[in-house]
Structures are given as structure tokens and as C-alpha cells.
Amino acid sequence: MPRKIIIDTDPGQDDAVAILLALASPEDITLLGITAVAGNVPLELTALNARKVCEVAERPDIKVFAGCDRPLAHSLVTAEHVHGKTGLDGPDLPAPKMPLQDAHAVDFIIETLRSEAPGTVTLCALGPLTNIATAFRKAPDIAERVQEIVLMGGAYFEVGNITPAAEFNIYVDPEAADIVFKSGTPITVMPLDVTHKALVTGPRNDAFRALGSHAGRTVAAWTEFFERFDKEKYGSPGAPLHDPTVIAYLIDPKLFQGRHVNVEIETVSELTRGMTVADWWGVTDRPANAMFMGDLDADGFFDLLTERIGRL
Ligand SMILES: [Ca+2]
């Protein structure tokens, strides 16, 4: 049985590849809808970009909802320095023809979790956790109906990418992350410790382009765009493809290894705001609340991704 999911996202080239991976995998995943959130770029652009991506996959039937346009407690921090002015710089894509749904993303999340059987809907969070936290605040009954939250965010050994201590998604809305990590819902985390091993090297980028399809060329152009930034910043051989790890985990969890540990979110300290304090070594008595991943089979991940994108 395919897993029913909602993708909550701020596209973002790596979000875009994650959406394509989900749409290319109907035997594993049923995509109930996409909820856009402000993050890499403002909401207006993430809601637009999500629809552009659906049209790359020739899936204008997918429902896309716009959600929260700012974090719960602070002003929005964006990442045009990584993703470009549109958030999806790289290939030239036409303006989407498919509509944005009228309902608010938060209401869609609430209504879907109430109408589907308990424990059958997974939330895949690829951006700041504002939409999901807002849904949990507005409708506390839904948290226990979620099968699992699989999210890209945080870091432990890799520490931070937007501040010395914090990863971007958690840093943008730590108050939202705090609500989610305290919700009691089963959580699986793909931190920088994992995603910094999912590097799009030259040969991996070539493999996307060699698919010869519109989707393959588009993925290659996206990853080529944002790898300039990472190569310069980290001196790494390619850009980390953060968000597709979330979808790959649903398809083949054996690609990942981690520990079930306690994770707390720093919301107060000016210096380390947005840090995911993961008790990796079990030095506290705080109860485990998340499966915190630490390693992935990078070749297996890219083999899966290339094979699936090749279907589109
Ligand atoms: Ca993202």
C-alpha cells in the first residue's frame, strides 16, 4: 500500500527534486497535496514554484495550497543567496497554468488529518515548520492522528549552515519547530549530518542530464545552479541535495541510519537560536522524541533518485 503524504515545502531547487521523486513513485507514495510555506523565498514565490514543479511532472491535478507567510514569532529570513531570486533559479520554466487552491494550507492539513483514518497520513516537511505548528495549535486533536512527520532540518555534528549553530529550516522558525518536537508525534529527522553526504557531484549531475527528458534536464539545471554556492562556501565536490532525503526515506528507509534520541530546540539564546540539541550520546534522562538520522548510503540514494526521475 502506498503511503499517503502531504508535502509541506518552500521550493527551493532541492524541494523541487523531492516533489518530483514523490510524483515519480506512485507504488510507494500517494501525494494528497502540497502546502507551501514561506522560507527560502517569500510565500508568493514558494506557492508559485510548487505549481511549476508539478507541471514539470505533467501533474496539474495536484492540489497546491498557500500557507503561512511568516514565522510564528519573528520576521522571515530568506535564502536567495543560495536559491536565487525566484527560489527556483536555473532552468527557464513557464508560469504555471494550474490554479492555487482557495483553502489555506493549515486548514487543508487539519481537514485531511481529520478525514483520513488515524495513523495513515505522513507529513513531509521540507521547509520551516510554521504551517504544521500552526495546524497543531489550531487543532490539537490532529497531532495524534499523524502517522509520522519526516522532516529535513537541524544538525548535530555538522552544526549549522545559516548561523554557526543552526540549520536554516529550524532557524527560520524555532518556535514552530519547538511545538512540533514537543507534539508527541513520531518524528524522523534528516539533519545536515545526512544531507551533507548527499552531494550532487559532477557525474551524478551528468546522470540526471543524460536521462534526456525534460524532467532530467530540469533537475540537472537546478542542481547545477545551487552547487555554485556550496562549492564556494564549503569547498565540497557538489551541492547537498537536502530535501529529497525525506522522500527517499519513505521509499527505502534502509538507505539511512540514525538513533532514536531526545531533540530539543533552542529558542531563547541569541547565539544559538534554532539549534537542534540532539542527545546523540544519551547523556540526559530526557525521553527520546525523534529518530535522528546520521548517515546515508549516498550511491544508493542517487541510484534511486536517478531511476525514479527517469520515469517522468
Ligand atoms: Ca526546503
Side-chain angles (χ1 to χ4, degrees):
M1 277 283 283
R3 271 176 86 156
K4 288 182 280 194
I5 72 168
I6 294 172
I7 295 182
D8 189 68
T9 176
D10 62 337
Q13 291 90 349
D14 59 319
D15 304 70
V17 178
I19 293 168
L20 292 185
L21 177 59
L23 290 174
S25 306
E27 73 271 50
D28 300 300
I29 288 167
T30 300
L31 181 56
L32 301 176
I34 296 176
T35 52
V37 68
N40 288 326
V41 286
L43 179 68
E44 199 182 328
L45 287 171
T46 60
L48 183 83
N49 291 344
R51 287 176 289 147
K52 284 185 180 176
V53 176
C54 292
E55 293 193 357
V56 169
E58 295 176 355
R59 290 297 302 276
D61 57 301
I62 299 292
K63 289 182 176 151
V64 177
F65 302 83
C68 300
D69 66 356
R70 72 196 70 175
L72 298 184
H74 293 269
S75 52
L76 180 65
V77 176
T78 54
E80 285 88 353
H81 61 293
V82 182
H83 300 277
K85 213 172 159 192
T86 67
L88 211 51
D89 279 22
D92 255 335
L93 296 174
K97 294 194 187 76
M98 62 189 279
L100 190 62
Q101 300 295 309
D102 290 332
H104 194 282
V106 168
D107 294 326
F108 172 72
I109 291 170
I110 294 170
E111 279 157 28
T112 303
L113 284 162
R114 284 179 175 165
S115 62
E116 298 285 342
T120 65
V121 176
T122 294
L123 303 178
C124 297
L126 312 182
L129 291 160
T130 320
N131 283 346
I132 294 172
T134 303
F136 282 6
R137 280 216 298 210
K138 196 172 170 187
D141 58 293
I142 63 170
E144 63 178 33
R145 300 178 70 90
V146 177
Q147 181 177 4
E148 185 178 4
I149 295 173
V150 186
L151 67 93
M152 190 277 134
Y156 186 68
F157 294 99
E158 290 284 310
V159 198
N161 65 351
I162 185 75
T163 76
E167 178 278 334
F168 179 80
N169 285 345
I170 306 295
Y171 177 77
V172 171
D173 200 342
E175 284 75 15
D178 190 47
I179 289 171
V180 168
F181 277 85
K182 289 192 166 102
S183 67
T185 303
I187 297 173
T188 296
V189 184
M190 295 297 168
L192 297 180
D193 308 311
V194 167
T195 68
H196 279 180
K197 292 170 180 150
L199 299 178
V200 189
T201 57
R204 288 169 178 163
N205 192 272
D206 293 344
F208 290 130
R209 188 171 290 98
L211 292 169
S213 59
H214 177 48
R217 282 191 300 269
T218 303
V219 168
W222 280 329
T223 56
E224 215 165 56
F225 178 84
F226 76 84
E227 84 178 353
R228 287 173 214 160
F229 169 79
D230 285 283
K231 276 181 174 168
E232 273 174 37
K233 183 167 180 183
Y234 302 106
S236 60
L241 204 49
H242 305 281
D243 292 339
T245 59
V246 167
I247 306 299
Y249 168 75
L250 298 181
I251 298 171
D252 189 359
K254 293 189 305 299
L255 292 171
F256 301 88
Q257 285 186 315
R259 294 184 184 184
H260 194 230
V261 298
N262 176 269
V263 179
E264 304 285 333
I265 309 298
E266 176 58 60
T267 58
V268 182
S269 159
E270 253 182 65
L271 196 59
T272 59
R273 204 176 120 71
M275 186 173 187
T276 44
V277 181
D279 189 7
W280 186 259
W281 302 111
V283 296
T284 73
D285 293 329
R286 295 195 287 259
N289 60 346
M291 185 69 193
F292 198 84
M293 293 301 182
D295 205 0
L296 97 158
D297 167 2
D299 286 332
F301 168 74
F302 279 97
D303 287 350
L304 172 72
L305 191 56
T306 309
E307 182 261 320
R308 295 291 165 102
I309 298 298
R311 296 170 170 190
L312 295 171

